[in-house]
């Protein structure tokens, strides 16, 4: 059974990209798991060496000790048996990663998937398929697929803000869920959602920083047009974002009420907001979110049509 004390557990990442690196950095910086209990299987040894060096520096800074995340390619010997496995590859690479590494996913392990568009049902059925076991060199199909939790990770992990969303399969235990919540808590906050909400969460919450960045970019450009240097315009815009966000977060302020107080009759702010309201700003945000939801559904359809994922 999974123990929620992460320092006593072991973790295997299938994939060594930015998402894996971000999670590993969070674990090390918060002293939740020592580096020697983390292993990564990737495809490019140069990239893996760079990842290893990067997270080693992170742990040295945080813990003042010499240790290293272990890195492997799929054909290497000595890949450890781990309590939990994180599938952290792009959706289009998931089928190959699972086929190559099925033997490294123990029957009693917890599998956490951070792959967009791949459902719990697809993973459950695929990982219990004898052909997958044979493709990875295992002599027999597993008695049952591993317990699965699907996660949409927080894209703002380095800031300590933002949400990761988790959805456990029916057979995942409360201990499994608590483990996942602790694990992804190193990136920020964690919430549980229904699987049918994943597309909306991805398009709204995970894509949300892109909307904020685009707005910030526009504010910086407007500041430069008003005569400020780019450096000053950026500083003003970022401080406004941080300050406003802090009030909304710490005081529970309603955005509409806060805006009403700022817009005094005949004032500058009201004039600016009336000009903004004459453009399809809010409608554009809504359309952008809906477009993202549609694309997330298309990605799920694309993945489910892969013959590897038996539906």
């Amino acid at each position: 059974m999974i123990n929620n004390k992460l320092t006593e557990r072991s973790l295997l990442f299938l994939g060594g990209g930015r998402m894996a690196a971000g999670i590993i950095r969070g674990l090390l910086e918060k002293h939740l798991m020592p580096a020697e209990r983390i292993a990564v299987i990737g495809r490019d040894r140069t990239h893996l060496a760079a990842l290893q060096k990067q997270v080693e520096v992170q742990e040295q800074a945080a813990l003042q000790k010499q240790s290293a995340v272990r890195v492997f390619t799929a054909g290497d010997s000595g890949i450890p048996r781990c309590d939990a496995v994180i599938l952290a590859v792009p959706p289009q690479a998931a089928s190959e990663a699972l086929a190559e590494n099925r033997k490294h996913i123990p029957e009693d392990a917890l599998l956490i998937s951070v792959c967009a568009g791949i459902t719990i049902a697809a993973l459950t059925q695929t990982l219990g398929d004898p052909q997958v076991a044979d493709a990875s060199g295992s002599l027999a199909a597993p008695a049952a697929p591993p317990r699965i939790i699907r996660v949409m990770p927080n894209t703002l992990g380095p800031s300590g803000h933002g949400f990761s969303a988790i959805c456990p399969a029916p057979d995942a235990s409360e201990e499994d869920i608590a483990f996942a919540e602790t694990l992804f808590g190193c990136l920020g906050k964690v919430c549980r959602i229904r699987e049918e909400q994943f597309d909306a969460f991805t398009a709204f919450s995970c894509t949300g920083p892109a909307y904020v960045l685009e707005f910030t970019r526009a504010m910086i450009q407007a500041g430069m047009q008003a005569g400020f240097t780019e450096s000053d315009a950026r500083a003003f815009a970022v401080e406004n974002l941080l300050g406003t966000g802090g009030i909304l977060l710490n005081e529970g302020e309603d955005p509409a009420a806060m805006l009403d107080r700022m817009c005094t009759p005949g004032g500058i702010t009201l004039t600016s907001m009336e000009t903004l309201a004459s453009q399809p700003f809010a409608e554009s945000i809504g359309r952008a979110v809906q477009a993202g939801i549609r694309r997330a559904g298309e990605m799920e359809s694309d993945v489910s049509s892969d013959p590897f994922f038996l539906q």
Side-chain angles (χ1 to χ4, degrees):
M1 180 177 293
I2 293 287
N3 186 321
N4 293 324
K5 289 186 66 177
L6 297 188
T7 55
E8 300 176 0
R9 311 319 302 166
S10 56
L11 195 58
L12 175 66
F13 286 83
L14 303 184
R18 286 182 297 176
M19 182 53 63
I23 297 171
I24 294 170
R25 282 198 302 270
L27 290 171
L28 298 181
E29 289 173 352
K30 292 181 171 57
H31 306 192
L32 293 175
M33 182 176 286
E36 61 267 20
R37 290 185 175 270
I38 301 172
V40 181
I41 300 178
R43 301 190 63 84
D44 184 275
R45 292 190 185 277
T46 301
H47 181 80
L48 286 170
L51 169 67
Q52 189 178 37
K53 181 70 173 178
Q54 180 183 17
V55 298
E56 179 183 330
V57 170
Q58 290 286 344
E59 184 173 47
Q60 287 175 8
L63 303 181
Q64 290 80 47
K65 63 181 287 188
Q66 294 285 341
S67 59
V69 170
R70 292 171 291 173
V71 296
F72 305 88
T73 58
D76 288 347
S77 61
I79 295 175
R81 186 184 190 278
C82 292
D83 301 306
V85 179
I86 297 185
L87 180 62
V89 297
Q92 62 271 22
S95 59
E96 186 174 3
L98 288 172
E100 288 181 345
N101 297 291
R102 179 62 183 92
K103 62 184 176 182
H104 302 306
I105 306 175
E107 295 174 23
D108 60 347
L110 172 65
L111 176 68
I112 299 175
S113 171
V114 298
C115 292
I118 303 179
T119 65
I120 291 173
L123 287 167
T124 300
Q125 190 164 359
T126 298
L127 290 171
D129 176 33
Q131 292 184 348
V132 178
D134 291 341
S136 66
S138 185
L139 295 178
R147 304 179 311 283
I148 295 171
I149 293 180
R150 186 178 175 188
V151 178
M152 183 53 64
N154 175 17
T155 54
L156 293 173
S159 74
H161 293 282
F163 275 91
S164 297
I166 70 171
C167 177
D171 62 345
S173 67
E174 285 300 318
E175 289 81 5
D176 292 333
I177 297 169
F179 177 87
E181 289 176 337
T182 302
L183 181 67
F184 286 91
C186 74
L187 299 179
K189 297 182 179 180
V190 179
C191 65
R192 299 190 200 183
I193 62 174
R194 301 186 307 276
E195 191 167 24
E196 60 267 25
Q197 294 177 301
F198 259 76
D199 290 352
F201 182 85
T202 303
F204 176 66
S205 182
C206 294
T207 308
Y211 304 141
V212 177
L213 289 170
E214 177 62 17
F215 173 77
T216 306
R217 186 186 65 82
M219 287 297 295
I220 293 171
Q221 288 182 339
M224 293 170 64
Q225 290 171 358
F228 297 106
T229 66
E230 181 177 3
S231 176
D232 283 345
R234 176 188 172 91
F236 299 156
V238 171
E239 283 298 315
N240 280 331
L241 285 170
L242 292 173
T244 305
I247 293 173
L248 292 173
L249 178 65
N250 298 324
E251 299 183 13
E253 185 73 80
D254 176 68
M258 188 174 173
L259 187 59
D260 284 343
R261 288 200 309 274
M262 294 180 67
C263 292
T264 56
I268 297 170
T269 303
L270 179 60
T271 300
S272 297
M273 290 301 99
E274 287 175 342
T275 302
L276 186 62
S278 69
Q279 309 299 319
F281 177 73
E283 292 83 354
S284 294
I285 296 296
R287 287 196 297 269
V289 171
Q290 291 301 316
I293 292 173
R294 287 194 298 272
R295 178 58 188 144
E298 292 168 359
M299 289 178 63
E300 187 169 311
S301 297
D302 291 343
V303 170
S304 65
S305 66
D306 185 333
F308 183 84
F309 292 101
L310 305 175
Q311 297 296 314

